[in-house]
């Protein structure tokens, strides 16, 4: 059994953890798979909770897992077994530090972790062992319990209790010197109840907070030393703002209850006058779920009128229904909404296809079923839908069981990547996150949690041929003759364009499959560049070998 090693801070492998790479002869890739990139099997763990959260930082992913020596600790992976290792044994020995709240800010990941010496405190990592450290012991002799970890510009905002001021809003740039309370909103050691935070512009943010025991309302902060009330939306009762989502330029949409129109969609630019109802869906409370930023808009699931839970979109000013996916009063219940390069992908229910993968550009015409993965009205049980650039990765169930899938937004480009665990039960795989053009999956191999990665960009790069050129009619390569390009075997459906080059430089107007040699080509090397493009794929460029034109 291959093992990963716990590295020292100098990088030497000194303590074998027995975290298996489990090269166990996994099932073959399905015949219809694109095949330009394989599914790479990474590390296997004693335990790894896929719902515990992960954070991508560049070409790495930070997460919590337990190796064979015990104790759930922070780990990092590049998607391979060799590139997966424990970042720090925060709670030394077999006891778990139970890291949680992984949040990316720039090139760092923050999280909280527990030891008996410091309690639960704030930690930071740059994805290396040397760069994984306690930020500050905010509450000496106890736990400050950092929560609501949120990126705001180049710093982290979070709540913590230093033992003197109660729970308040804090900030950090990853060092003790840059970690401080923003403001003591609830004086006298009373907790400030912060239920949601969203970064806006610069280091600024908006938050839902209950101050000095009062009900929760909308606040804003400069991220330095000031927190102030934006608007008392429901005076004396609390509007309980939730699902705060920043669209662009400081504009935030959220759900709140003003005590008159009930729970509805609101927007705010951070001023009292600019904090208003964005959409009153129903005469009384509206059910609004899964607000998710996609580009500079937000998609959401709303129960309004007689249509059941359906997809809506807003830019903060105009809020409109996108499509009645489940016709009539039934619910399509859009969920797992993700932003793939400005295109929304989500799971929705339809009476003939069941719960499957859908995509939308915010219009009815541009909203469609991507693929009925589990044919008929059966559900494909999509798990962990994650954006990877303009593609999406997920786990899904069909006749292969629960296995890793990938999609470029087209039915033909929505494929099972590999039958990891042959048989109808499958490997219970789900996607965790997209990172550096790759997808990270988590599944079970011989009942053990195992990571997998897929180079998605390479997977969806057009399969290219090898271009060649020949003289039409035969003979020498000389002035007056024509060269014809043979592009080689490219992936079916690929659109090809041609460009002829003289000594490596493009020849004006020479864009066809053939090229007639001219006097200025004498003694020069001529070759053709073939570019292939295919919807939903990365393009490919290939060159023929150069041919030298005879001088006489």
């Amino acid at each position: 059994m291959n093992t990963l090693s716990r590295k020292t801070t100098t990088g030497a492998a000194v303590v074998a953890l027995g975290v298996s790479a489990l090269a166990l002869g996994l099932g073959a890739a399905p015949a219809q798979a694109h095949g330009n990139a394989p599914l790479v099997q990474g590390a296997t763990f004693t335990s790894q909770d896929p719902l515990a959260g992960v954070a991508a930082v560049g070409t790495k992913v930070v997460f919590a897992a337990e190796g064979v020596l015990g104790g759930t600790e922070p780990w990092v992976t590049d998607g391979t077994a060799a590139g997966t290792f424990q970042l720090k044994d925060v709670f030394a020995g077999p006891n778990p530090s139970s890291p949680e709240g992984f949040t990316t800010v720039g090139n760092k990941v923050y999280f909280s972790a527990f030891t008996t010496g410091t309690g639960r405190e704030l930690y930071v990592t740059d994805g290396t062992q040397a760069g994984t450290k306690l930020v500050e012991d905010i509450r000496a002799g106890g736990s400050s319990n950092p929560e609501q970890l949120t990126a705001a510009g180049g710093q982290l905002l979070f709540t913590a209790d230093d033992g003197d001021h109660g729970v308040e809003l804090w900030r950090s740039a990853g060092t003790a010197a840059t970690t401080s309370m923003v403001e003591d909103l609830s004086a006298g050691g009373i907790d400030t109840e912060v239920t949601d935070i969203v970064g806006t512009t610069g280091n600024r943010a908006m938050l839902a907070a209950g101050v000095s025991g009062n009900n929760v309302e909308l606040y804003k902060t400069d991220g330095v030393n000031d927190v102030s009330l934006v608007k008392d939306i429901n005076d004396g009762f609390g509007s309980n703002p939730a699902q705060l989502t920043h669209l662009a330029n400081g504009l935030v949409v959220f759900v709140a209850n003003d005590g008159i129109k009930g729970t509805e969609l609101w927007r705010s630019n951070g001023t009292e006058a600019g904090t208003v109802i964005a959409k009153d869906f129903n005469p009384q409370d509206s059910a609004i779920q899964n607000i998710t930023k996609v580009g500079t808009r937000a998609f959401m699931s709303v129960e309004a009128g007689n249509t059941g839970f359906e997809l809506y979109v807003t830019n903060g000013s105009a809020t409109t229904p996108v499509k009645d996916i489940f016709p009539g009063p039934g619910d399509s219940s859009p969920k797992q909404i993700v932003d793939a390069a400005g295109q929304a992908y989500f799971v929705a229910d339809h009476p003939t296809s069941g719960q499957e993968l859908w995509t939308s550009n915010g219009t009815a015409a541009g909203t469609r079923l991507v693929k009925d993965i589990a044919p008929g009205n059966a559900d494909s049980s999509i798990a962990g839908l994650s954006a990877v650039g303009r593609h999406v990765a997920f786990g899904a169930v069909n006749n292969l069981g629960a296995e890793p899938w990938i999609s470029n937004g087209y039915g033909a480009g929505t494929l099972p990547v590999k039958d990891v665990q042959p048989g109808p039960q499958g490997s219970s795989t789900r996607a965790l996150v997209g990172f550096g053009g790759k997808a990270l999956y988590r599944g079970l191999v011989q009942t053990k949690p195992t990571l997998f990665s897929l180079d998605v960009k390479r997977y969806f790069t057009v399969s290219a041929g090898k271009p060649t050129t020949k003289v039409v009619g035969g003979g020498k390569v000389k002035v007056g003759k024509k060269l014809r390009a043979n592009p080689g075997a490219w992936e079916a459906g690929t659109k090809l364009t041609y460009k002829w080059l003289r000594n490596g430089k493009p020849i004006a107007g020479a864009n066809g499959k053939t090229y007639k040699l001219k006097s200025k080509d004498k003694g020069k090397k001529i070759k053709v560049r073939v570019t292939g493009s295919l919807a939903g794929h990365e393009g490919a460029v290939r060159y023929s070998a150069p041919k030298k034109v005879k001088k006489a």
Side-chain angles (χ1 to χ4, degrees), residues 4 40-43 76-85 435 438 440 451-453:
L4 291 176
V40 175
Q41 186 169 342
V76 68
T77 185
D78 64 0
T80 69
T84 304
F85 53 88
F435 69 109
K438 298 179 181 180
L440 185 67
L451 298 182
F452 303 89
S453 65

Side-chain angles (χ1 to χ4, degrees), residues 198-200 206 244-247 250-254 266-269:
V198 65
T200 55
M206 289 193 201
L244 275 62
T245 305
H246 179 236
L247 301 184
L251 182 63
V252 170
V253 293
F254 57 99
W266 285 67
R267 71 171 185 263
S268 177
N269 61 4

Side-chain angles (χ1 to χ4, degrees), residues 213-217 232-241 257-260:
N214 294 321
N215 294 308
V216 177
E217 285 293 353
D232 192 357
I233 295 172
N234 192 345
D235 186 18
F237 294 94
S239 63
N240 296 311
N257 187 336
D258 66 356
I260 300 171

